[in-house]
Amino acid sequence: METKKVNCQIECVNGCILGEECPNQTYVKETANFIENTSLDKMLEMAEIARLKKLTEPPKWVIPDEL
């Protein structure tokens, strides 16, 4: 049986369209466990740490191959 190629970011916005055949099923359990066992305050703290880390990174310059 051929596996169906799906762009999950676009096609699964309203829920997974592949159901049990979804290759990302392993992440569903991990995500549900994280959401269930992590307080909202802790999630907000993690997001703030990531935001501050991003702000303190030096800028990344992209130099085109052709000038």
Side-chain angles (χ1 to χ4, degrees), residues 38-49:
T38 308
S39 70
L40 182 58
D41 290 334
K42 181 66 176 172
M43 288 186 212
L44 292 173
E45 180 184 331
M46 293 167 68
E48 182 65 14
I49 291 169

Side-chain angles (χ1 to χ4, degrees), residues 7-41:
N7 185 343
C8 294
Q9 290 181 328
I10 296 172
E11 299 180 42
C12 298
V13 176
N14 295 322
C16 184
I17 62 173
L18 294 178
E20 294 297 320
E21 297 175 12
C22 180
N24 298 317
Q25 282 293 327
T26 56
Y27 303 115
V28 172
K29 291 179 184 178
E30 291 176 20
T31 304
N33 188 31
F34 174 79
I35 291 171
E36 186 176 321
N37 295 324
T38 308
S39 70
L40 182 58
D41 290 334

